[in-house]
Amino acid sequence: MEQVIEYFKQSSTTVQALGVTAGGLIGVFATLGVFFLVIWVSDKVGRKGAE
Amino acid sequence: MQDVFIGFTSVTWQNLVMYLVGFALIWLAIKKEYEPMLLLPIGFGAILVNLPLSIAGIPAAGASVTEPGFLSVLFEMGIRTELFPLLIFVAVGAMIDFGPLFKNPFMIFFGAAAQFGIFATMIAATLLGFDLKAAASIGIIGAADGPTSIFVSSIFAPQLLGPISVAAYSYMSLVPLIQPPVIKLLTTKHERRIHMVYHESSCPKWLKVMFPIAVTMISGFVAPISVPLIGSLMFGNLIRESGVLERLSKAAQNELANIVTLLLGITIGSSMTAAAFLTLDTLMIMGLGLVAFIFDTAGGVLFAKLVNLFLPKARKINPMIGACGISAFPMSGRIVQKMANDEEKGNIILMHAIGSNVSGQLGSVIAGGMVLALVPLLVG
């Protein structure tokens, strides 16, 4: 990870923006993905409890 | 005698242009009703701060008073400390009902896909010569979320706060004009006519209460710097969903939202001095803001089309739903529902659209947090 960050630090601003784009999109999808799991699991548990 | 007319003799052509900008914003607010709660105070603030030798903002050279004016005090207190956008988030959180999202949790991914405009615009801004922090602040216009734009730009590029805020709020009010042509360009008539089945189900109260807490903690672990943003939003939502703080919930939705909005608008206007606003950067920011909203819409629609490749025919998603993944709530959801109904009378996709739209509010804040976390890693 350190090496990747170091690579981007040495790169042009646009390449840095590409790096932030990749990291940002992965981060947003992953975080919202975890929220999805929280809702999905809660729903399943809730339904089971109701039964 | 000259001192008597010093106000008139000190006016520059730049001041005159800024009065026109102020009048234009007030006109848009009153006549067109484009985000009047923000654009009117911003427009008036822009006039106020550009009055010659104005003592409302930072005193101009030659002014008789040297103490910072009330707008400077508000700026230092509310924007520099990031307090105003965070208080707005408490209010917004108290207004959000995540119910439609809980009933159709997959919609949450459209809230991620429609943040694409943020990143595409950031790349475009670097190509136009902005440094990474300024480019990230400009890209955040694509969050379609005023407080997030203000929060990020007040940290990364406070000198661009005025044009970024004006662009963010202007384009948010123009969503009904921006989104439909982009959606139509990227979808076929057949796709826009796709029906989506909606299953009404009740959502347990404990989930509504636990969700803001879980979201805050998870966001805090993933991107600690996003905690003020997401924490304020979710605190407001927890007050709403707890069911025992109705008075506070209503106060957050009404009194707090109104007072902070009032102060926020005029304070942002105060950052629009002629020297800071009348630049080529402002023109580029206005253009890039439009790019951000177009790419947001495109990102959401194209993601929906991608998902459809893997779904059976009976469960296809109307790709217009993807466009609602932006944070402009509930405007975007309503537009998409109207488009679906225009294509085929009786095609109701409103609940899916609102679910996607609510996700956009979460996605924009998370994207803001990601940008805040990642950019300093590369440029310190």
Side-chain angles (χ1 to χ4, degrees):
Chain A
M1 194 56 151
E2 302 274 309
Q3 283 176 325
V4 176
I5 292 172
E6 203 53 44
Y7 166 77
F8 280 113
K9 273 185 175 174
Q10 309 299 330
S11 305
S12 69
T13 313
T14 303
V15 175
Q16 288 178 338
L18 284 167
V20 174
T21 297
L25 282 174
I26 291 169
V28 176
F29 269 100
T31 310
L32 292 188
V34 174
F35 297 164
F36 168 78
L37 284 178
V38 169
I39 299 169
W40 187 76
V41 170
S42 305
D43 184 52
K44 293 285 168 207
V45 171
R47 275 169 203 254
K48 218 164 195 179
E51 285 169 14
Chain B
M1 192 63 179
Q2 200 182 352
D3 286 350
V4 176
F5 297 105
I6 194 164
F8 292 98
T9 55
S10 304
V11 178
T12 63
W13 70 266
Q14 289 95 335
N15 292 136
L16 295 175
V17 174
M18 289 310 296
Y19 303 151
L20 289 178
V21 171
F23 279 123
L25 293 175
I26 293 171
W27 181 80
L28 286 173
I30 296 173
K31 194 75 183 169
K32 298 283 181 183
E33 294 191 24
Y34 289 167
E35 295 283 341
M37 295 233 294
L38 265 304
L39 290 190
L40 191 144
I42 290 175
F44 190 74
I47 294 172
L48 203 53
V49 81
N50 285 289
L51 290 171
L53 308 177
S54 172
I55 57 169
I58 295 168
S64 54
V65 177
T66 52
E67 295 295 317
F70 79 101
L71 292 179
S72 285
V73 173
L74 284 176
F75 191 89
E76 290 299 321
M77 186 198 75
I79 304 287
R80 196 85 72 190
T81 60
E82 298 129 29
L83 189 64
F84 284 169
L86 294 180
L87 289 176
I88 290 277
F89 265 120
V90 175
V92 172
M95 294 176 200
I96 299 179
D97 175 11
F98 286 112
L101 175 63
F102 296 150
K103 289 170 185 172
N104 205 343
F106 187 77
M107 293 296 128
I108 204 164
F109 292 106
F110 297 118
Q115 307 308 319
F116 179 65
I118 294 176
F119 301 103
T121 307
M122 180 175 60
I123 294 167
T126 62
L127 290 171
L128 288 174
F130 287 98
D131 65 54
L132 192 60
K133 284 188 171 178
S137 304
I138 295 166
I140 285 291
I141 294 171
D145 179 350
T148 305
S149 299
I150 294 165
F151 188 82
V152 173
S153 57
S154 66
I155 292 174
F156 280 169
Q159 75 281 8
L160 300 178
L161 185 63
I164 286 174
S165 306
V166 170
Y169 282 110
S170 303
Y171 290 127
M172 273 163 63
S173 65
L174 291 174
V175 159
L177 299 179
I178 298 170
Q179 286 206 307
V182 181
I183 293 171
K184 282 190 174 173
L185 190 72
L186 295 172
T187 54
T188 63
K189 212 170 181 55
H190 174 72
E191 286 173 324
R192 294 195 293 276
R193 285 182 169 177
I194 292 176
H195 286 242
M196 293 176 73
V197 181
Y198 178 70
H199 300 287
E200 186 60 55
S201 61
S202 60
C203 177
K205 188 187 169 185
W206 65 266
L207 174 57
K208 287 188 166 186
V209 173
M210 280 307 296
F211 187 69
I213 300 170
V215 165
T216 305
M217 293 182 71
I218 292 165
S219 306
F221 295 138
V222 174
I225 200 166
S226 71
V227 165
L229 276 176
I230 201 85
S232 309
L233 187 76
M234 291 299 139
F235 173 57
N237 192 248
L238 182 61
I239 289 174
R240 173 198 173 96
E241 300 299 351
S242 67
V244 293
L245 295 172
E246 197 175 342
R247 210 159 49 110
L248 292 190
S249 173
K250 284 201 163 34
Q253 293 178 46
N254 298 298
E255 288 85 355
L256 181 67
N258 290 340
I259 291 170
V260 182
T261 301
L262 189 151
L263 296 176
L264 183 69
I266 198 163
T267 310
I268 289 168
S270 77
S271 71
M272 291 167 63
T273 56
F277 197 81
L278 295 180
T279 62
L280 184 61
D281 283 358
T282 299
L283 279 180
M284 288 197 284
I285 288 168
M286 295 309 285
L288 287 165
L290 181 60
V291 169
F293 275 69
I294 290 171
F295 275 95
D296 277 345
T297 307
V301 171
L302 293 175
F303 180 71
K305 290 176 74 136
L306 178 71
V307 171
N308 270 347
L309 295 177
F310 304 97
L311 291 176
K313 199 177 176 187
R315 294 187 58 197
K316 296 270 189 217
I317 292 168
N318 189 318
M320 292 197 292
I321 293 290
C324 304
I326 66 168
S327 184
F329 178 87
M331 205 189 297
S332 189
R334 284 184 189 158
I335 292 160
V336 162
Q337 171 54 46
K338 184 178 179 305
M339 288 180 74
N341 197 51
D342 287 347
E343 288 294 340
E344 190 177 341
K345 288 268 174 277
N347 187 4
I348 307 293
I349 56 171
L350 184 64
M351 289 312 284
H352 297 89
I354 292 296
S356 173
N357 216 173
V358 169
S359 309
Q361 294 192 299
L362 264 183
S364 66
V365 178
I366 300 295
M370 286 296 156
V371 167
L372 283 172
L374 292 170
V375 169
L377 287 179
L378 305 186
V379 292

